[in-house]
Amino acid sequence: MCGLAGFLGEPVPGGEQGALLERMITRLQHRGPDGYGFHVEPGVGLAHARLSIIDLATGEQPIRNADGSTWTVFNGEIFNYVELRATLEAQGHRFYTQSDTEVIVHLYDRYGDAFVEHLNGQFAIVVWDRRRRRLVLARDRVGIRPLFYRRSGGTFWFASEMKALFAAGTGQATLAPAALAQALTFWGTLDPDTVFEDVHSLPPGHLLTIESDGREHLRPWWDWDFDAATGAGARWRGRNRDQAVAELRELLVDAVRLQLRADVPVGAYLSGGLDSSGLVALARRFSDAPVRTFSVAFADAEFDERAHQQAMVAHLGCAHTTLEVDRAAIGAAFPRLIWHTETPVLRTAAVPLMLLSAAVRAAGYKVVLTGEGADEVFGGYDLFKEAKVRRFWARQRDSRWRPRLLERLYGYLANSPVRSPAFAQAFFGQGLEHLHRPVFAHVPRWTTSARALAFLSPQARAACADFDPLAFVEARLPVRAGTWSPLARDQYVEAHTLLSGYLLWSQGDRVAMANSVEGRVPYLDHRVIEFANALPAHWKLRGLTEKDILRRALADLLPPDIAARPKQPYRAPDAASFFVDGEPLDYVADLMSTDRLRATGLFDPVPAGRLFDKARAGRVAGFADNQAFVGILSTQLVDHLFVRGGGLP
């Protein structure tokens, strides 16, 4: 895992280009503290910050092919590089390192832009084709590793994080109100948008090419796909589900085996739920690698899962570290989180994960496996179950018992929306009129999140007056989505909003790389995704039992109560983390003051001030107010850190 940066064009006179690249890449030192590498020639510059994990001795980047006509800088891992290298060597290619990176230049030489289709990994790649004077940017299938770009002054710039673009002097960082509306609704912006004007994120599974004459071409090379509704599960029709369970088990074993490849020790996060417990059990059972585990625990009992974590540790007998996090630690570390995420967030849950990655690094580990992605791939979220009940209800809206099925959900919440049947029906009844729209499942969540938009200033509200979240997402859905099952559509939308825009970004890459730790996600191996997407929907969501086939595939590896444990989403204390005995932390008092809100110009100081007073009084309890408060505060921090260039408070 690493950081990369560079340019295509002539930004400054020759001798100063090296200094400019150095300024960009040193801003990413946290992503690659083990060394820097540069390649500069007329019209192009590549820079790399290395976190050495594979080929510790000779894996420095940039890396070239044999005659120096193809160069690359790369952030991520190619897990099948051993097999790719053997094939390429048999075809006559000669290697000068043992690095996974070197297969990229040889694959590009052999297959052109189709090189990316041969990769099993998580990556952001930049290839410089010197002969054709052509730059190629590629991003992994689901968006595990970031890659940003912008054009400025006739030069094309790229980097692993936006702060490196700003360090190059590519132009002022300016917040875009329309993009902010996305972030406050979907929990993140949808690629290629970012919250900054004229700064773009390469979408997952896409290639961007810049030709010698300046022409740019952005195209997809992979996407989530599902069997059409008329043939849902056609591959499995007439076959026993046990066959699918056995195939899934075999596939998961291989995904974990590949992702344990490293020349450094590999650890694992253990939440106490099915997904991470299953990964650790697979690693213990089917590899020779000792696996050290790490967990977050909370002083607040509502969020704490340590009893389940300890049960799993006792079951596996693995060495384990528990990091207990309290509200004070979250409040203190929040500004640093925003420095790394570079975007507003609606929850504080990423902070404990950032603190945990520091503990991982302090224990001498650079790599951890995480259970991220299983919920999107196998239908694990309450949202999928909630949508199933709401669809059932919407077809007979005057039914009195159908909506009561919702009472089976959200039992883990202290302030559960289903504690009152009347409230549950009012809350989940939102958007029933959208039954036939592909974004039906997401209406309650986005309606709750978008209440933050009510705090926008009149100017900001006017700038995003045309923002229709349902239509915005539907316009980005593939035509074929209309033939998919409802669960498939729900999974697709989830993968392209919450997963890529928040979980893999603010709660994934950024908080791990803040402490130079690489997270690996075996459930997002593309073979696992493609396998799961071909399954009948009811093998994933059976009644209201989520991830049924995954439970069956892992059952014999886990204690019975872990294998049967319902999904409990990972959460952390939100607005309460920013106050001590009713007094705000100093930076919170400053950023939420009337003067600072007015200076930023994005939020109306009057309603935002009322929300601040409510939070200070400890009366913010529901999702909507908590998310709005965290969203406003984090936006103020983005403005402070990147637009105004203020330091960390």
Side-chain angles (χ1 to χ4, degrees), residues 350-362:
V351 176
L353 293 176
M354 182 176 72
L355 300 176
L356 183 63
S357 71
V360 169
R361 186 70 187 192

Side-chain angles (χ1 to χ4, degrees), residues 34 48 50 52-64 81 85 95-103 263:
D34 296 331
H48 187 258
R50 187 180 188 211
S52 53
I53 290 173
I54 291 176
D55 186 12
L56 307 187
T58 62
E60 294 86 359
Q61 299 185 36
I63 273 180
R64 54 169 173 76
Y81 78 100
R85 178 178 176 133
F95 288 72
Y96 72 98
T97 76
Q98 298 299 314
S99 169
D100 58 334
T101 309
E102 195 175 354
V103 301
D263 294 328

Side-chain angles (χ1 to χ4, degrees), residues 204-280:
H206 276 66
L207 278 169
L208 175 64
T209 55
I210 300 96
E211 307 295 341
S212 60
D213 60 2
R215 285 180 296 118
E216 293 184 17
H217 185 209
L218 176 67
R219 70 172 179 83
W221 63 271
W222 188 91
D223 198 4
W224 295 60
D225 206 351
F226 299 82
D227 281 350
T230 52
R235 178 187 169 195
W236 294 99
R237 188 167 297 138
R239 297 177 65 186
N240 190 304
R241 181 174 52 192
D242 291 343
Q243 291 177 286
V245 171
E247 285 191 32
L248 174 58
R249 169 71 162 257
E250 187 177 337
L251 197 50
L252 290 173
V253 169
D254 196 59
V256 170
R257 179 186 65 82
L258 283 183
Q259 299 206 17
L260 285 172
R261 281 179 170 168
D263 294 328
V264 296
V266 177
Y269 284 167
L270 185 63
S271 70
L274 173 73
D275 310 335
S276 62
S277 297
L279 284 186
V280 177

